[in-house]
Coordinates of all heavy atoms in Angstrom, one line a residue:
M13 N 0.9 -1.2 0.0 CA 0.0 0.0 0.0 C 0.9 1.2 0.0 O 1.9 1.3 0.7 CB -0.9 -0.1 1.2 CG -1.4 1.2 1.8 SD -2.4 1.1 3.2 CE -2.1 -0.5 3.9
T14 N 0.5 2.2 -0.8 CA 1.3 3.4 -0.8 C 0.9 4.2 0.4 O -0.2 4.0 1.0 CB 1.0 4.2 -2.1 OG1 -0.3 4.6 -2.1 CG2 1.4 3.5 -3.3
L15 N 1.8 5.1 0.8 CA 1.5 6.0 1.9 C 0.3 6.9 1.7 O -0.4 7.2 2.6 CB 2.7 6.9 2.3 CG 3.9 6.1 2.8 CD1 5.1 7.1 2.9 CD2 3.6 5.4 4.1
A16 N 0.0 7.2 0.5 CA -1.2 8.0 0.1 C -2.5 7.3 0.1 O -3.6 7.9 0.2 CB -0.9 8.7 -1.2
A17 N -2.5 6.0 0.1 CA -3.8 5.2 0.0 C -4.7 5.4 1.2 O -5.9 5.6 1.0 CB -3.5 3.8 -0.3
K18 N -4.1 5.3 2.4 CA -4.9 5.5 3.6 C -5.5 6.9 3.7 O -6.7 7.0 3.9 CB -4.1 5.1 4.8 CG -4.0 3.6 5.1 CD -3.4 3.3 6.4 CE -3.5 1.9 6.7 NZ -3.0 1.5 8.0
P19 N -4.7 7.9 3.5 CA -5.4 9.3 3.6 C -6.4 9.5 2.5 O -7.4 10.2 2.7 CB -4.2 10.2 3.5 CG -3.0 9.5 3.8 CD -3.3 8.0 3.5
F20 N -6.1 9.0 1.3 CA -7.1 9.2 0.2 C -8.4 8.5 0.6 O -9.5 9.0 0.4 CB -6.5 8.6 -1.1 CG -7.4 8.7 -2.2 CD1 -7.5 9.9 -2.9 CD2 -8.2 7.7 -2.6 CE1 -8.4 10.1 -4.0 CE2 -9.1 7.8 -3.7 CZ -9.2 9.0 -4.4
A21 N -8.3 7.2 1.0 CA -9.5 6.5 1.4 C -10.2 7.2 2.5 O -11.5 7.3 2.5 CB -9.2 5.0 1.8
A22 N -9.5 7.7 3.5 CA -10.1 8.4 4.6 C -10.9 9.7 4.1 O -12.0 10.0 4.6 CB -9.1 8.8 5.7
A23 N -10.3 10.4 3.2 CA -10.9 11.6 2.6 C -12.2 11.3 1.9 O -13.2 11.9 2.0 CB -9.9 12.4 1.7
V24 N -12.1 10.2 1.1 CA -13.3 9.8 0.3 C -14.4 9.3 1.3 O -15.5 9.6 1.1 CB -12.9 8.8 -0.8 CG1 -14.2 8.2 -1.4 CG2 -12.0 9.4 -1.8
N25 N -13.9 8.5 2.3 CA -14.9 8.0 3.2 C -15.6 9.2 4.0 O -16.8 9.1 4.4 CB -14.2 7.0 4.2 CG -14.0 5.7 3.5 OD1 -14.6 5.4 2.5 ND2 -13.0 5.0 4.1
H26 N -14.8 10.2 4.3 CA -15.4 11.4 4.9 C -16.6 12.0 4.1 O -17.6 12.3 4.6 CB -14.3 12.4 5.2 CG -14.9 13.7 5.8 ND1 -15.2 13.8 7.1 CD2 -15.1 14.9 5.3 CE1 -15.6 15.0 7.4 NE2 -15.6 15.7 6.3
L27 N -16.4 12.0 2.8 CA -17.4 12.5 1.9 C -18.6 11.5 1.8 O -19.7 11.9 1.8 CB -16.8 12.8 0.5 CG -15.8 13.8 0.4 CD1 -15.2 13.9 -1.0 CD2 -16.3 15.2 0.8
L28 N -18.2 10.2 1.8 CA -19.2 9.2 1.7 C -20.1 9.1 2.9 O -21.3 8.8 2.9 CB -18.6 7.8 1.4 CG -18.0 7.6 0.1 CD1 -17.2 6.3 0.1 CD2 -19.1 7.5 -1.0
A29 N -19.5 9.5 4.1 CA -20.3 9.5 5.3 C -21.5 10.4 5.3 O -22.5 10.1 5.9 CB -19.4 9.9 6.5
R30 N -21.4 11.4 4.5 CA -22.5 12.4 4.4 C -23.5 12.1 3.2 O -24.5 12.7 3.1 CB -22.0 13.8 4.2 CG -21.1 14.2 5.4 CD -20.5 15.5 5.3 NE -20.6 16.3 4.1 CZ -20.0 17.4 3.9 NH1 -19.2 17.9 4.9 NH2 -20.1 18.1 2.8
E31 N -23.1 11.1 2.4 CA -23.9 10.8 1.2 C -24.3 9.3 1.2 O -23.7 8.5 0.5 CB -23.1 11.2 -0.1 CG -22.7 12.6 -0.1 CD -23.8 13.6 -0.2 OE1 -25.0 13.2 -0.5 OE2 -23.6 14.8 0.2
S32 N -25.4 9.0 1.8 CA -25.8 7.6 1.9 C -26.1 7.0 0.5 O -25.9 5.8 0.3 CB -27.0 7.4 2.8 OG -28.1 8.2 2.3
W33 N -26.6 7.8 -0.4 CA -26.9 7.4 -1.7 C -25.7 6.8 -2.4 O -25.7 5.9 -3.2 CB -27.6 8.5 -2.6 CG -26.7 9.6 -2.9 CD1 -26.5 10.8 -2.1 CD2 -25.8 9.7 -3.9 NE1 -25.6 11.6 -2.7 CE2 -25.1 11.0 -3.8 CE3 -25.4 8.9 -5.0 CZ2 -24.1 11.4 -4.7 CZ3 -24.5 9.3 -5.9 CH2 -23.8 10.6 -5.7
A34 N -24.5 7.5 -2.2 CA -23.3 7.1 -2.8 C -22.8 5.7 -2.2 O -22.3 4.9 -3.0 CB -22.2 8.2 -2.6
R35 N -22.9 5.6 -0.9 CA -22.5 4.3 -0.3 C -23.4 3.2 -0.8 O -22.9 2.1 -1.0 CB -22.6 4.4 1.2 CG -21.5 5.3 1.8 CD -21.4 5.3 3.3 NE -22.7 5.3 4.0 CZ -23.4 6.4 4.4 NH1 -22.9 7.6 4.1 NH2 -24.6 6.3 5.0
E36 N -24.7 3.5 -0.9 CA -25.6 2.5 -1.4 C -25.3 2.0 -2.9 O -25.4 0.9 -3.2 CB -27.1 3.0 -1.4 CG -27.6 3.2 0.0 CD -28.9 4.0 0.1 OE1 -29.5 4.3 -1.0 OE2 -29.4 4.2 1.2
R37 N -24.8 3.0 -3.7 CA -24.4 2.6 -5.0 C -23.1 1.9 -5.1 O -22.9 1.1 -6.0 CB -24.3 3.9 -5.9 CG -25.7 4.5 -6.1 CD -25.7 5.5 -7.1 NE -25.4 5.1 -8.5 CZ -25.3 5.8 -9.5 NH1 -25.6 7.1 -9.4 NH2 -25.0 5.3 -10.7
L38 N -22.2 2.1 -4.1 CA -21.0 1.4 -4.0 C -21.1 0.0 -3.4 O -20.4 -1.0 -3.8 CB -19.9 2.2 -3.3 CG -19.2 3.3 -4.0 CD1 -18.4 4.1 -3.0 CD2 -18.4 2.8 -5.1
A39 N -22.0 -0.2 -2.5 CA -22.2 -1.4 -1.7 C -22.3 -2.7 -2.6 O -21.7 -3.7 -2.3 CB -23.3 -1.4 -0.8
P40 N -23.0 -2.7 -3.8 CA -23.0 -3.9 -4.6 C -21.6 -4.3 -5.1 O -21.5 -5.4 -5.6 CB -23.9 -3.5 -5.7 CG -24.8 -2.4 -5.2 CD -23.9 -1.7 -4.3
Y41 N -20.7 -3.4 -5.1 CA -19.3 -3.7 -5.5 C -18.4 -4.2 -4.4 O -17.2 -4.2 -4.6 CB -18.7 -2.5 -6.3 CG -19.6 -2.1 -7.5 CD1 -20.5 -1.1 -7.4 CD2 -19.5 -2.9 -8.7 CE1 -21.3 -0.8 -8.5 CE2 -20.2 -2.5 -9.8 CZ -21.1 -1.5 -9.7 OH -21.9 -1.2 -10.8
A42 N -19.0 -4.5 -3.3 CA -18.2 -5.0 -2.1 C -17.2 -6.1 -2.5 O -17.6 -7.0 -3.3 CB -19.1 -5.4 -1.0
G43 N -16.0 -6.0 -2.1 CA -15.0 -7.0 -2.4 C -14.2 -6.7 -3.7 O -13.2 -7.3 -4.0
K44 N -14.7 -5.7 -4.5 CA -14.0 -5.3 -5.7 C -12.9 -4.4 -5.4 O -12.9 -3.6 -4.4 CB -15.0 -4.7 -6.7 CG -16.1 -5.5 -7.1 CD -15.7 -6.7 -8.0 CE -16.9 -7.4 -8.4 NZ -16.6 -8.6 -9.3
T45 N -11.8 -4.5 -6.2 CA -10.6 -3.7 -6.0 C -10.4 -2.7 -7.2 O -10.7 -3.0 -8.3 CB -9.4 -4.5 -5.8 OG1 -9.3 -5.4 -6.9 CG2 -9.5 -5.3 -4.5
A46 N -9.8 -1.6 -6.9 CA -9.4 -0.6 -7.9 C -8.0 -0.2 -7.7 O -7.5 0.0 -6.5 CB -10.4 0.6 -7.8
R47 N -7.3 0.0 -8.8 CA -5.9 0.5 -8.8 C -6.0 1.9 -9.5 O -6.3 1.9 -10.7 CB -5.0 -0.4 -9.4 CG -3.6 0.0 -9.4 CD -2.7 -1.1 -10.1 NE -1.3 -0.8 -10.0 CZ -0.6 -0.1 -10.9 NH1 -1.2 0.4 -12.0 NH2 0.7 0.2 -10.7
L48 N -5.7 3.0 -8.8 CA -5.6 4.3 -9.4 C -4.2 4.7 -9.5 O -3.4 4.7 -8.5 CB -6.4 5.3 -8.6 CG -7.8 4.9 -8.2 CD1 -8.4 5.9 -7.2 CD2 -8.7 4.7 -9.4
S49 N -3.7 4.9 -10.8 CA -2.3 5.2 -11.0 C -2.1 6.6 -11.7 O -2.7 6.8 -12.7 CB -1.7 4.1 -11.9 OG -0.4 4.4 -12.2
C50 N -1.3 7.4 -11.0 CA -0.9 8.7 -11.6 C 0.6 8.8 -11.1 O 0.8 9.4 -10.1 CB -1.7 9.8 -11.2 SG -1.2 11.4 -12.0
P51 N 1.5 8.2 -11.8 CA 2.9 8.1 -11.4 C 3.4 9.5 -10.9 O 3.1 10.5 -11.5 CB 3.7 7.7 -12.6 CG 2.7 6.9 -13.4 CD 1.4 7.6 -13.1
P52 N 4.0 9.5 -9.7 CA 4.6 8.4 -9.0 C 3.6 7.8 -8.0 O 3.9 6.9 -7.2 CB 5.8 9.0 -8.3 CG 5.4 10.4 -8.0 CD 4.5 10.8 -9.2
V53 N 2.3 8.3 -7.9 CA 1.4 7.8 -6.9 C 0.5 6.7 -7.5 O 0.0 6.8 -8.6 CB 0.5 9.0 -6.5 CG1 -0.6 8.5 -5.5 CG2 1.3 10.1 -5.9
V54 N 0.4 5.6 -6.7 CA -0.5 4.5 -7.1 C -1.3 4.2 -5.8 O -0.8 4.0 -4.8 CB 0.3 3.3 -7.5 CG1 -0.6 2.1 -7.8 CG2 1.2 3.6 -8.7
L55 N -2.6 4.2 -6.0 CA -3.5 3.9 -4.9 C -4.3 2.6 -5.2 O -4.8 2.4 -6.3 CB -4.6 5.1 -4.8 CG -4.0 6.5 -4.6 CD1 -5.1 7.5 -4.7 CD2 -3.2 6.6 -3.3
M56 N -4.3 1.8 -4.2 CA -5.1 0.5 -4.3 C -6.2 0.5 -3.2 O -5.9 0.7 -2.1 CB -4.1 -0.6 -4.1 CG -3.1 -0.7 -5.3 SD -1.6 -1.7 -4.9 CE -0.7 -0.5 -4.0
L57 N -7.4 0.4 -3.7 CA -8.6 0.5 -2.8 C -9.5 -0.7 -3.0 O -9.6 -1.3 -4.0 CB -9.3 1.8 -3.2 CG -8.5 3.1 -3.2 CD1 -9.2 4.2 -3.8 CD2 -8.1 3.4 -1.7
L58 N -10.2 -1.0 -1.9 CA -11.2 -2.0 -1.8 C -12.5 -1.5 -1.4 O -12.6 -0.7 -0.5 CB -10.7 -3.1 -0.8 CG -11.7 -4.2 -0.4 CD1 -11.9 -5.2 -1.5 CD2 -11.3 -4.8 0.9
V59 N -13.6 -1.9 -2.1 CA -14.9 -1.5 -1.7 C -15.4 -2.4 -0.6 O -15.4 -3.6 -0.8 CB -15.9 -1.5 -2.9 CG1 -17.3 -1.1 -2.4 CG2 -15.4 -0.6 -4.0
Q60 N -15.8 -1.8 0.5 CA -16.3 -2.6 1.7 C -17.8 -2.8 1.6 O -18.5 -2.1 0.9 CB -15.9 -1.9 3.0 CG -14.4 -1.8 3.1 CD -14.1 -1.0 4.4 OE1 -14.9 -0.6 5.2 NE2 -12.8 -0.9 4.7
P61 N -18.3 -3.8 2.3 CA -19.8 -4.1 2.2 C -20.7 -2.9 2.6 O -21.8 -2.8 2.1 CB -20.0 -5.2 3.2 CG -18.6 -5.9 3.3 CD -17.6 -4.8 3.1
D62 N -20.2 -2.0 3.4 CA -21.0 -0.8 3.8 C -20.8 0.3 2.8 O -21.4 1.4 3.1 CB -20.6 -0.4 5.2 CG -19.1 0.0 5.4 OD1 -18.4 0.0 4.4 OD2 -18.7 0.2 6.5
G63 N -20.1 0.1 1.7 CA -20.0 1.2 0.7 C -18.8 2.1 0.9 O -18.6 3.1 0.2
Y64 N -18.1 1.9 2.0 CA -16.9 2.7 2.2 C -15.7 2.1 1.5 O -15.8 0.9 1.1 CB -16.6 2.9 3.7 CG -17.6 3.8 4.4 CD1 -18.6 3.3 5.2 CD2 -17.4 5.2 4.4 CE1 -19.5 4.1 5.8 CE2 -18.3 6.0 5.0 CZ -19.4 5.5 5.8 OH -20.2 6.3 6.4
L65 N -14.6 2.8 1.5 CA -13.4 2.3 0.8 C -12.3 2.0 1.9 O -12.3 2.6 2.9 CB -12.8 3.4 -0.1 CG -13.7 3.8 -1.3 CD1 -13.0 4.9 -2.1 CD2 -14.1 2.6 -2.1
A66 N -11.5 1.1 1.5 CA -10.3 0.7 2.4 C -9.1 0.6 1.5 O -9.1 0.2 0.4 CB -10.5 -0.6 3.1
A67 N -8.0 1.1 2.1 CA -6.7 1.0 1.4 C -6.3 -0.5 1.4 O -6.5 -1.2 2.3 CB -5.6 1.8 2.1
V68 N -5.7 -0.9 0.3 CA -5.3 -2.3 0.1 C -3.8 -2.4 0.0 O -3.2 -1.6 -0.7 CB -5.9 -2.9 -1.1 CG1 -5.5 -4.4 -1.4 CG2 -7.4 -2.9 -1.0
D69 N -3.2 -3.4 0.6 CA -1.7 -3.6 0.5 C -1.5 -4.4 -0.8 O -2.3 -5.3 -1.2 CB -1.2 -4.4 1.7 CG 0.3 -4.4 1.8 OD1 0.9 -4.4 0.7 OD2 0.8 -4.5 2.9
E70 N -0.4 -4.1 -1.5 CA -0.1 -4.8 -2.8 C 0.0 -6.3 -2.6 O -0.4 -7.0 -3.5 CB 1.3 -4.3 -3.3 CG 1.2 -3.3 -4.4 CD 2.6 -3.0 -4.9 OE1 3.3 -2.2 -4.2 OE2 2.9 -3.4 -6.0
T71 N 0.4 -6.7 -1.4 CA 0.6 -8.2 -1.2 C -0.8 -8.8 -1.0 O -0.9 -10.1 -1.1 CB 1.4 -8.4 0.1 OG1 0.8 -7.8 1.2 CG2 2.8 -7.9 -0.1
Q72 N -1.8 -8.1 -0.7 CA -3.2 -8.7 -0.5 C -3.9 -9.0 -1.8 O -4.7 -9.9 -1.8 CB -4.1 -7.7 0.3 CG -3.6 -7.5 1.7 CD -4.5 -6.5 2.4 OE1 -4.7 -5.4 1.9 NE2 -5.0 -6.8 3.6
T73 N -3.5 -8.4 -2.9 CA -4.1 -8.7 -4.2 C -3.1 -8.5 -5.3 O -2.4 -7.6 -5.3 CB -5.4 -7.8 -4.4 OG1 -6.0 -8.2 -5.6 CG2 -5.1 -6.4 -4.5
Q74 N -3.2 -9.4 -6.2 CA -2.3 -9.3 -7.4 C -3.0 -8.9 -8.6 O -2.4 -8.4 -9.6 CB -1.6 -10.7 -7.7 CG -0.8 -11.3 -6.5 CD 0.4 -10.3 -6.2 OE1 1.0 -9.8 -7.1 NE2 0.6 -10.1 -4.9
Q75 N -4.3 -9.0 -8.6 CA -5.2 -8.6 -9.7 C -6.2 -7.6 -9.2 O -6.8 -7.8 -8.1 CB -5.8 -9.8 -10.3 CG -6.6 -9.6 -11.6 CD -7.0 -10.9 -12.2 OE1 -6.7 -11.9 -11.7 NE2 -7.8 -10.7 -13.2
F76 N -6.5 -6.6 -10.0 CA -7.5 -5.6 -9.6 C -8.7 -5.7 -10.6 O -8.6 -6.1 -11.8 CB -6.9 -4.2 -9.7 CG -5.8 -4.0 -8.7 CD1 -4.5 -4.3 -9.0 CD2 -6.2 -3.6 -7.4 CE1 -3.5 -4.2 -8.0 CE2 -5.2 -3.5 -6.4 CZ -3.9 -3.8 -6.7
D77 N -9.9 -5.4 -10.1 CA -11.1 -5.4 -10.9 C -11.1 -4.3 -11.9 O -11.7 -4.4 -13.0 CB -12.3 -5.4 -10.0 CG -12.4 -6.7 -9.2 OD1 -12.5 -7.8 -9.8 OD2 -12.3 -6.6 -7.9
V78 N -10.5 -3.2 -11.6 CA -10.4 -2.0 -12.5 C -9.1 -1.3 -12.2 O -8.7 -1.2 -11.1 CB -11.6 -1.1 -12.3 CG1 -11.7 -0.4 -11.0 CG2 -11.7 -0.1 -13.4
T79 N -8.5 -0.8 -13.3 CA -7.3 0.0 -13.2 C -7.5 1.3 -13.9 O -7.9 1.2 -15.1 CB -6.1 -0.7 -13.7 OG1 -5.8 -1.9 -12.9 CG2 -4.8 0.2 -13.6
I80 N -7.3 2.4 -13.3 CA -7.4 3.7 -14.0 C -6.0 4.3 -13.9 O -5.5 4.5 -12.8 CB -8.5 4.6 -13.2 CG1 -9.8 3.9 -13.3 CG2 -8.5 6.0 -13.9 CD1 -10.9 4.6 -12.4
S81 N -5.5 4.6 -15.1 CA -4.2 5.3 -15.2 C -4.4 6.7 -15.8 O -5.0 6.8 -16.8 CB -3.3 4.4 -16.1 OG -3.1 3.1 -15.6
V82 N -3.7 7.6 -15.2 CA -3.8 9.0 -15.6 C -2.3 9.4 -15.8 O -1.5 9.3 -14.9 CB -4.5 9.9 -14.6 CG1 -4.4 11.4 -15.0 CG2 -5.9 9.4 -14.3
P83 N -2.0 9.9 -17.0 CA -0.6 10.4 -17.2 C -0.3 11.6 -16.3 O -1.2 12.5 -16.2 CB -0.5 10.7 -18.7 CG -1.9 10.8 -19.2 CD -2.7 10.0 -18.2
P84 N 0.9 11.7 -15.8 CA 1.1 12.9 -14.9 C 0.9 14.2 -15.5 O 0.5 15.2 -14.9 CB 2.6 12.7 -14.5 CG 3.0 11.3 -14.9 CD 2.0 10.8 -15.9
E85 N 1.2 14.3 -16.8 CA 1.0 15.6 -17.5 C -0.4 16.1 -17.6 O -0.7 17.2 -17.9 CB 1.7 15.6 -18.9 CG 1.2 14.6 -19.8 CD 1.8 13.2 -19.7 OE1 2.6 13.0 -18.8 OE2 1.5 12.4 -20.6
A86 N -1.4 15.2 -17.4 CA -2.8 15.5 -17.5 C -3.3 16.3 -16.2 O -4.2 17.0 -16.3 CB -3.6 14.2 -17.7
L87 N -2.6 16.1 -15.1 CA -3.0 16.7 -13.9 C -3.1 18.3 -13.9 O -4.1 18.9 -13.5 CB -2.2 16.2 -12.7 CG -2.5 14.8 -12.3 CD1 -1.7 14.4 -11.1 CD2 -4.0 14.6 -12.0
P88 N -2.0 18.9 -14.4 CA -2.0 20.4 -14.5 C -3.2 20.9 -15.4 O -3.9 21.8 -15.1 CB -0.7 20.8 -15.0 CG 0.2 19.6 -14.7 CD -0.7 18.4 -14.7
A89 N -3.4 20.2 -16.5 CA -4.5 20.6 -17.4 C -5.8 20.4 -16.7 O -6.7 21.2 -16.8 CB -4.4 19.7 -18.7
F90 N -6.0 19.3 -15.9 CA -7.2 19.1 -15.2 C -7.5 20.2 -14.2 O -8.6 20.7 -14.1 CB -7.2 17.7 -14.6 CG -8.5 17.4 -13.9 CD1 -9.7 17.0 -14.6 CD2 -8.6 17.5 -12.5 CE1 -10.8 16.7 -14.0 CE2 -9.8 17.2 -11.9 CZ -10.9 16.8 -12.6
V91 N -6.5 20.5 -13.4 CA -6.6 21.5 -12.4 C -7.0 22.9 -13.0 O -7.8 23.6 -12.5 CB -5.3 21.6 -11.6 CG1 -5.3 22.8 -10.6 CG2 -5.1 20.3 -10.8
Q92 N -6.4 23.2 -14.1 CA -6.6 24.5 -14.8 C -7.9 24.6 -15.5 O -8.6 25.6 -15.6 CB -5.5 24.9 -15.7 CG -4.2 25.1 -14.9 CD -3.0 25.4 -15.8 OE1 -3.1 25.2 -17.0 NE2 -1.9 25.7 -15.2
G93 N -8.3 23.5 -16.2 CA -9.5 23.6 -17.0 C -10.5 22.5 -16.9 O -11.5 22.4 -17.6
G94 N -10.3 21.6 -15.9 CA -11.3 20.6 -15.7 C -11.2 19.4 -16.7 O -10.3 19.3 -17.4
Q95 N -12.2 18.6 -16.6 CA -12.2 17.4 -17.5 C -12.1 17.7 -19.0 O -11.5 17.0 -19.7 CB -13.5 16.6 -17.2 CG -13.5 15.2 -17.9 CD -14.7 14.4 -17.5 OE1 -15.5 14.9 -16.7 NE2 -14.9 13.3 -18.0
A96 N -12.7 18.8 -19.4 CA -12.7 19.1 -20.8 C -11.3 19.4 -21.3 O -10.9 19.1 -22.4 CB -13.6 20.3 -21.1
A97 N -10.4 20.0 -20.4 CA -9.1 20.3 -20.8 C -8.2 19.0 -21.0 O -7.3 19.0 -21.8 CB -8.4 21.2 -19.7
V98 N -8.6 18.0 -20.2 CA -7.8 16.7 -20.3 C -8.2 16.0 -21.5 O -7.5 15.4 -22.3 CB -7.9 15.9 -19.0 CG1 -7.2 14.6 -19.1 CG2 -7.5 16.7 -17.8

């Protein structure tokens, strides 16, 4: 697990705590894993039965249900102009 995975999951869970509809939509994906990659940061997350996220250690799973990769050069464009800029 990267050092950023736990704080990222905690931040998302903080938002999810206020939005029951979002947790309800995530709950059916319980047990599914996601790998979010924007080098040098790689986040590995697990959807829990209650719809919250948990950080996953690399040794706990070798295969992910979904991988999202974002090139590092896309981040400044996203920050400046949103999704349309990327």
Side-chain angles (χ1 to χ4, degrees):
M13 154 181 19
T14 63
L15 293 175
K18 278 189 175 183
F20 180 82
V24 172
N25 286 340
H26 178 75
L27 297 173
L28 289 171
R30 298 178 356 185
E31 303 296 340
S32 61
W33 66 268
R35 291 191 315 275
E36 290 169 6
R37 290 190 65 182
L38 280 172
Y41 299 98
K44 300 290 185 182
T45 55
R47 182 178 186 269
L48 309 175
S49 174
C50 185
V53 177
V54 177
L55 305 172
M56 293 161 281
L57 304 166
L58 170 72
V59 179
Q60 298 178 359
D62 58 4
Y64 287 100
L65 300 179
V68 177
D69 192 330
E70 258 183 286
T71 59
Q72 291 176 310
T73 184
Q74 299 300 318
Q75 187 174 353
F76 295 91
D77 295 298
V78 66
T79 298
I80 300 171
S81 299
V82 177
E85 60 273 9
L87 288 181
F90 182 77
V91 170
Q92 292 175 353
Q95 187 175 358
V98 177

